[in-house]
Amino acid sequence: MKGRRQKQIPYKRRRIRQHMYLNIAAFILFAVLAAVGMRIVHHTLLENAQNAGVAIARSYASEESSNLAVYETLISFGAASMEKQISQGRTDEELLEWMEVYFRQLNTVLGDGVVDPYAVIEGALLAANPWEGDTGYDVSSTEWYRKAVEADGEVIFTDVYTDAIYDKPVITVAQKCSEADAVLAFDIFPQNFSFQLDLQKLTEGQSLFFCDSAGTIIYRQTDLNVPEEEIQAYVNGLLEKIDAGELSAYDDFIVDMDGERRAVYYSELDNGWFSIVTVPYAGLLRSFSWLTIFFGVIFAAFLLAFGVMTWRDMRLGDRMRRADETVRVLGNSYYALYRIRYEQGIYEMIKGSDYVKKRIPPIGEYRELLRVFGEVAEPEAYKEFLESFSTENIRRLVSGRVRDFGGDFRRRFGEEYRWVNVRVLFDESLPPEEAVLCFRDVEQEKQRQLKERNFLKEALNSSRQNERAKQNFFSNMSHDMRTPLNAIIGLSELAVRCVDEPRKVSDYLEKIQTSSRQLLGLINDILDMSRLEQGKVSLNNREFELGVCLDECLGAFDFQAETEHKTFRKEIHVKNIRLLGDSFRVTQILNNFLSNAFKFTGEGDEIRVSVTQLNEGEHAKFQFVVSDTGIGMSTDFMEHLFEPYAREIRFGVRQTVGSGLGMPITKNLIEQMNGEIYVESEPDKGSTFTVILPFTVIEEKTPSAVGSQPEEQPGDFLKGKKLLLAEDNELNMEIATELLTMAGALVIPAWDGTEAVEQFEKSAPYEFDAVLMDMKMPQMDGCEAARRIRSLPRPDAGDVPIIAVTANAFEDDMAAAAAAGMDAHIAKPIDFKLLGKTLKQLLKRRDGKKIEKI
């Protein structure tokens, strides 16, 4: 009996020891799976975060590259224009006049005060806004000038540097003319630099920095609340680590000024500038932290179970079942698990799909498993699958200690294909010459990734399309302006040659004035383009004479036809010529068609215009036909004729381009006027544009039997009036003074706001009848000067008429003038009839107030 009991004790010990070994094996297996899983999750989170962060940084870099393209296009346009002026032998004074026009165009496109243009022509500096000491300024020693010369026609951007004149940080954009010894440049203060970025891509706690190649911050968006010098030092440190390659890995990080770990993603622009995005590390690993806690709790529970099972063997089975369930839950993440003995070419099915379990046994030859995979794998991916997961490749991976290898492919489930992820996992805890092959369904995750990738591609394509659209916009901007500009230049030359023939000079000047108004209208059309889709381009209907309108419009093309040796025929067949409508828009429509006709015809070709009244009565329709014998258009291009920036390029003797902004705006105007447009064209035979517009016919007024009183001229009431004129531009001062003086007014000039206040303050009460105030002036602007005048302790300070006369013609400018106490707003170029009417009303109102005070 005693011997039998002794035999039982070693057996129990062996059984307990076996249980302990099983427990230890299960514990180790769980720890390995947990470690591998945590490593995979940690790696995947950081790698995905790096991909997303780099994509955001590149997206911002792409957006800013598009913004920089605006400045490149503007300066390229200006350099080409300046080179043309130089080639035509323009004097310095004429070049300065051209630069002032170019400066106004820049202000129209970018806004006032954003850029400061100047040029270096044969070593001499010409500035649109001269500064003290510019004649002695050695431009050849400046970095921007050297870079522009070395670039030989390419646009250059400098880093931020301290300007020698203003002693402020500045960025210079410059381009050297290809044929002339000249460089065009303009300075941009960083606070005026255009950044149109979609900051919604940034989440809470993320920071964005744009800096130049030297590391100077140009733009930042960050929650760091520290002095600017510390932020600059912080960014310099980031760039040093980027240059050293210390932030290229997915798990690299830095510690910011708040002691917080941050991941850093960046992208370099073509000009050497950097886009840098920093993301708090805690935000990236927030889900991983919760997962770590979850695994830690499970690990602690398992460890506790292991200790309890070691001391209490009676409960070993229950504890093992719980551990089994836990591992099963983890295994459910994979729909198939296989142990591969790659040296023997044997697989062991731990878990398999229903299809595979029906085709092969739980243990068998590995090549049979691969064959079954070929039955369901996408054919295009199967060859690569065989190469990647062959026993030879698994052996190489294990010998190279590659613990995790795999990828995504599509596999058939029933009648549909779904994305799955296959991995080969290796760990030292596995028996020698073994690895784990596992499959996981990642259809939803893959679709989400593909959607995100497509979104980024669409965003990039949209950015590229916007950039191309902007380039097309500025390359075509001169299209509609060329005809009136050519007319102004040509008629000016004729006027100079015919100084001794007043009648001809008068006729030329009237046509120059008409063309100038057309040019101003075309500039306004460029601004109207942004409102075209919303239909906000308004019509100004009033009485006009169709004959006068046609003479003014068509007369501007006579000179062009003569100089280009083309035949220009006009056929006008109308009875009722006094109409109600927008004559400027009619002129604009005809001007666009005729500009295109002249542009797309050669020497000896014919351009024909005919105007016909189709019916009579109060509401009549008029047909306008513009035809030419030029190069015509293809059928395919005509489908895109009215799309913004549409161009047609055909190769032959000459290259031709299609319409830019003119056609879309013209079609929009015709639709707003309830008109119709028809186009006929054939390559190499010409084009015909037919427009039908309805107008209300105005009956001719019968002259009065008594006779009409002579119409009062706009300036008659100014005789004996004393006006204070504040204007800092010498040419504008001369024109306004001359016209007001011709109307009988006495004009006292003031060259800035400060002088205007001083002149008014030292004058006697009611000495000045009105004040004409420019808005943008040195020393003191017009709004501040108006406020100072209104606050003076004198009886006429509160009711003297003050009129803003300025190129700032937007609603915000009008509101600012009214808030400063000004009575009215007249936009430049000045309409002196409107100015006279406004002055008359304000003086009448002021005189009424004086009588009441008396």
Side-chain angles (χ1 to χ4, degrees), residues 6 49 52 145 196 268 344 389 405 440-441 475 584 586 619-620 624 667 688 693 776 778 781 787 791 832 853:
Q6 287 176 342
Y145 184 78
Q196 300 175 355
E268 185 176 2
Q344 301 173 17
F389 298 100
F405 172 82
R440 182 166 63 93
D441 188 336
S475 65
F584 174 76
V586 174
H619 302 286
F624 302 82
K667 185 173 184 293
T688 300
L693 297 176
K776 293 281 187 178
D781 62 27
R787 281 191 288 267
S791 63
F832 278 91
K853 291 181 180 180

Side-chain angles (χ1 to χ4, degrees), residues 421-649:
N421 179 263
V422 55
R423 318 297 303 176
V424 169
L425 304 178
F426 161 75
D427 193 271
E428 287 79 0
S429 62
L430 293 173
E433 302 175 355
E434 280 199 23
V436 175
L437 183 66
C438 53
F439 295 83
R440 182 166 63 93
D441 188 336
V442 293
E443 175 67 19
Q444 293 182 352
E445 178 183 346
K446 193 70 176 180
Q447 292 298 336
R448 184 172 61 253
Q449 291 177 356
L450 291 175
K451 286 181 180 179
E452 293 175 353
R453 185 177 301 173
N454 288 336
F455 174 77
L456 292 176
K457 287 182 179 179
E458 290 174 1
L460 180 60
N461 290 334
S462 177
S463 177
R464 288 172 176 171
Q465 290 174 1
N466 289 338
E467 181 179 353
R468 286 194 296 269
K470 291 176 182 177
Q471 291 174 347
N472 288 338
F473 171 78
F474 288 109
S475 65
N476 291 330
M477 239 174 46
S478 64
H479 172 72
D480 289 337
M481 298 181 183
R482 189 169 301 278
T483 297
L485 187 59
N486 285 343
I488 292 171
I489 295 172
L491 291 169
S492 299
E493 292 177 356
L494 292 175
V496 171
R497 297 175 185 175
C498 302
V499 175
D500 297 331
E501 301 179 62
R503 184 171 298 176
K504 284 188 176 182
V505 171
S506 177
D507 180 55
Y508 294 151
L509 292 178
E510 287 180 3
K511 291 179 179 178
I512 289 173
Q513 189 177 34
T514 301
S515 298
S516 300
R517 286 196 296 268
Q518 291 177 3
L519 186 59
L520 176 62
L522 293 173
I523 294 173
N524 290 333
D525 282 343
I526 294 173
L527 299 177
D528 285 343
M529 189 63 192
S530 63
R531 299 178 293 177
L532 187 147
E533 291 183 357
Q534 291 76 24
K536 294 182 178 180
V537 179
S538 60
L539 298 176
N540 184 16
N541 292 324
R542 61 177 61 181
E543 291 186 20
F544 74 98
E545 292 185 6
L546 182 58
V548 175
C549 174
L550 294 174
D551 287 343
E552 291 179 351
C553 174
L554 304 181
F557 291 91
D558 290 330
F559 177 76
Q560 183 175 355
E562 181 181 350
T563 56
E564 295 180 5
H565 304 292
K566 300 175 183 178
T567 302
F568 184 34
R569 301 188 185 279
K570 293 170 281 187
E571 299 176 0
I572 312 300
H573 306 287
V574 295
K575 181 177 180 181
N576 300 311
I577 61 172
R578 191 162 188 81
L579 308 173
L580 179 64
D582 192 332
S583 61
F584 174 76
R585 297 304 184 185
V586 174
T587 300
Q588 185 177 357
I589 292 170
L590 291 176
N591 181 78
N592 180 263
F593 290 147
L594 287 170
S595 296
N596 285 335
F598 275 91
K599 184 172 184 178
F600 300 122
T601 52
E603 184 174 329
D605 279 336
E606 179 179 285
I607 298 96
R608 183 185 298 270
V609 178
S610 69
V611 182
T612 306
Q613 183 175 345
L614 301 180
N615 64 321
E616 298 185 4
E618 182 181 356
H619 302 286
K621 289 187 177 181
F622 293 82
Q623 176 178 277
F624 302 82
V625 180
V626 177
S627 60
D628 63 72
T629 60
I631 62 173
M633 295 174 287
S634 65
T635 304
D636 292 338
F637 176 69
M638 285 179 63
E639 297 178 0
H640 307 282
L641 177 62
F642 297 109
E643 296 177 3
Y645 318 113
R647 298 170 64 95
E648 178 178 35
I649 298 178

Side-chain angles (χ1 to χ4, degrees), residues 225-517:
N225 189 16
V226 295
E228 188 71 26
E229 295 78 8
E230 296 184 21
I231 293 181
Q232 182 64 64
Y234 170 66
V235 172
N236 289 340
L238 293 180
L239 289 174
E240 290 178 1
K241 290 181 178 294
I242 290 173
D243 291 338
E246 299 177 10
L247 298 175
S248 58
Y250 70 91
D251 55 353
D252 288 335
F253 64 89
I254 55 97
V255 178
D256 66 14
M257 291 175 283
D258 294 333
E260 184 178 17
R261 290 200 304 174
R262 284 180 172 266
V264 179
Y265 311 113
Y266 55 90
S267 178
E268 185 176 2
L269 279 70
D270 294 339
N271 63 351
W273 293 6
F274 276 89
S275 164
I276 303 174
V277 176
T278 68
V279 182
Y281 226 71
L284 297 178
L285 298 178
R286 185 176 291 111
S287 58
F288 182 75
S289 299
W290 284 105
L291 189 61
T292 303
I293 295 173
F294 173 72
F295 273 106
V297 171
I298 295 178
F299 185 79
F302 192 83
L303 183 61
L304 180 62
F306 171 73
V308 172
M309 285 187 291
T310 302
W311 295 101
R312 302 180 64 179
D313 185 59
M314 295 298 295
R315 303 182 64 180
L316 178 61
D318 182 61
R319 299 293 184 185
M320 289 299 295
R321 282 193 298 271
R322 291 177 62 83
D324 254 353
E325 292 171 355
T326 304
V327 173
R328 192 176 299 114
V329 170
L330 294 176
N332 285 339
S333 298
Y334 299 91
Y335 71 83
L337 290 165
Y338 302 89
R339 295 281 291 272
I340 309 299
R341 295 195 288 272
Y342 50 86
E343 291 294 347
Q344 301 173 17
I346 301 297
Y347 74 86
E348 178 184 352
M349 187 187 302
I350 307 300
K351 182 181 180 182
S353 66
D354 294 339
Y355 180 84
V356 174
K357 285 190 290 186
K358 292 177 181 178
R359 303 285 292 170
I360 57 176
I363 299 177
E365 294 186 1
Y366 184 57
R367 64 171 177 267
E368 285 299 307
L369 179 64
L370 293 178
R371 181 186 61 79
V372 174
F373 288 160
E375 297 176 0
V376 294
E378 191 174 32
E380 293 80 1
Y382 182 56
K383 181 179 180 182
E384 185 179 355
F385 182 92
L386 288 177
E387 295 175 354
S388 300
F389 298 100
S390 64
T391 54
E392 293 80 5
N393 195 52
I394 295 176
R395 184 185 302 110
R396 285 194 295 269
L397 293 172
V398 173
S399 63
R401 306 187 70 79
V402 178
R403 300 176 183 274
D404 186 354
F405 172 82
D408 300 334
F409 73 101
R410 297 182 71 202
R411 176 203 189 277
R412 182 164 49 83
F413 289 88
E415 298 299 326
E416 67 171 349
Y417 279 94
R418 296 173 61 86
W419 284 98
V420 297
N421 179 263
V422 55
R423 318 297 303 176
V424 169
L425 304 178
F426 161 75
D427 193 271
E428 287 79 0
S429 62
L430 293 173
E433 302 175 355
E434 280 199 23
V436 175
L437 183 66
C438 53
F439 295 83
R440 182 166 63 93
D441 188 336
V442 293
E443 175 67 19
Q444 293 182 352
E445 178 183 346
K446 193 70 176 180
Q447 292 298 336
R448 184 172 61 253
Q449 291 177 356
L450 291 175
K451 286 181 180 179
E452 293 175 353
R453 185 177 301 173
N454 288 336
F455 174 77
L456 292 176
K457 287 182 179 179
E458 290 174 1
L460 180 60
N461 290 334
S462 177
S463 177
R464 288 172 176 171
Q465 290 174 1
N466 289 338
E467 181 179 353
R468 286 194 296 269
K470 291 176 182 177
Q471 291 174 347
N472 288 338
F473 171 78
F474 288 109
S475 65
N476 291 330
M477 239 174 46
S478 64
H479 172 72
D480 289 337
M481 298 181 183
R482 189 169 301 278
T483 297
L485 187 59
N486 285 343
I488 292 171
I489 295 172
L491 291 169
S492 299
E493 292 177 356
L494 292 175
V496 171
R497 297 175 185 175
C498 302
V499 175
D500 297 331
E501 301 179 62
R503 184 171 298 176
K504 284 188 176 182
V505 171
S506 177
D507 180 55
Y508 294 151
L509 292 178
E510 287 180 3
K511 291 179 179 178
I512 289 173
Q513 189 177 34
T514 301
S515 298
S516 300
R517 286 196 296 268

